[in-house]
Amino acid sequence: MPGRARKAPGSKLTEAEIGEMFARFEAHDPHPKTELEYRDPFTLLVAVVLSAQATDTSVNRATPALFALADTPAKMVALGEQGVSDKIKTIGLYRNKAKNVVALSNKLVEEHGGEVPCSREELESLPGVGRKTANVVLNVAFGEATIAIDTHIFRVSNRTGLAPGKTPLKVEETLNRVVPERYKHNCHHWLILHGRYVCKARKPECWRCIVNDICVFKPKTPAPKTPAPKTPASA
């Protein structure tokens, strides 16, 4: 009898299962996009920095007023920390984020001619910009096939068996190794959206998951019971 298919390196799934998983994501959502609202690389960078430990929804509520006043690095520097803080108070850690946004804007003006750089090293040298933020900007603004690891991707990658790992970097390295090249550019969008709306942290909605037969998570969460129809009261 032929042996069982070997798992992809670092994954609990086979190459065929991984390919099928992403083929289904693509069929379900051929053109996934970030849910952060932005106009250009600079406003995207600011939005991603603001989204750390906050929801995209909360960021999208705050940024229209902010970008109406400061949609370039020079304008952001002119607005200053207090001005930025006043516009983003509804976002968690807003004071520290305002400080970073003004500082990174100042560095863009002084060292990059007011333009967002397109290299990882230069992005990560900006205040408040780590590997995840750099990966998002490289992917969304500059079309690179980078994979940004947020809490949703970390959870989905571990729970499904796609790319188990104890650190975000380990998960990122495994995803880069096992995800077929044709799916890499959209990979993190699919996984984020899947984690946000289906493979939720507390109670994954396995009954409506399009990859639940591939995922190794057990036990699968059953569909909620529908209440029995009420019978008419006796006369």
Side-chain angles (χ1 to χ4, degrees), residues 41-49 104 108 116 123 126 129 133 137:
F42 174 66
T43 53
L44 172 68
L45 173 61
V46 171
V48 179
V49 169
L104 73 82
L108 290 177
V116 175
L123 283 168
L126 299 172
V129 177
T133 297
V137 174

Side-chain angles (χ1 to χ4, degrees), residues 97-127:
K97 290 177 180 179
K99 180 179 179 179
N100 283 333
V101 165
V102 173
L104 73 82
S105 298
N106 189 58
K107 190 164 185 176
L108 290 177
V109 171
E110 292 186 348
E111 299 182 16
H112 300 283
E115 299 294 327
V116 175
C118 59
S119 77
R120 178 187 302 283
E121 293 73 21
E122 290 175 312
L123 283 168
E124 290 188 21
S125 75
L126 299 172

Side-chain angles (χ1 to χ4, degrees), residues 37-172:
E37 296 172 2
Y38 68 98
R39 306 175 187 177
D40 51 31
F42 174 66
T43 53
L44 172 68
L45 173 61
V46 171
V48 179
V49 169
L50 295 180
S51 72
Q53 299 179 335
T55 65
D56 287 3
T57 300
S58 69
V59 174
N60 289 340
R61 281 198 297 263
T63 51
L66 174 64
F67 294 152
L69 294 175
D71 59 356
T72 69
K75 290 179 182 178
M76 197 70 74
V77 172
L79 185 59
E81 285 184 36
Q82 187 58 54
V84 175
S85 291
D86 289 343
K87 296 301 178 186
I88 64 169
K89 282 183 177 178
T90 54
I91 302 174
L93 307 174
Y94 72 92
R95 287 190 180 90
N96 191 55
K97 290 177 180 179
K99 180 179 179 179
N100 283 333
V101 165
V102 173
L104 73 82
S105 298
N106 189 58
K107 190 164 185 176
L108 290 177
V109 171
E110 292 186 348
E111 299 182 16
H112 300 283
E115 299 294 327
V116 175
C118 59
S119 77
R120 178 187 302 283
E121 293 73 21
E122 290 175 312
L123 283 168
E124 290 188 21
S125 75
L126 299 172
V129 177
R131 186 176 183 87
K132 186 197 82 169
T133 297
N135 277 338
V136 173
V137 174
L138 290 170
N139 180 283
V140 176
F142 300 114
E144 294 193 21
T146 52
I147 302 175
I149 308 299
D150 75 341
T151 55
H152 296 300
I153 292 185
F154 188 79
R155 178 178 68 255
V156 171
S157 296
N158 275 282
R159 182 183 275 163
T160 62
L162 171 63
K166 293 183 178 180
T167 66
L169 182 58
K170 179 64 176 176
V171 169
E172 181 185 338

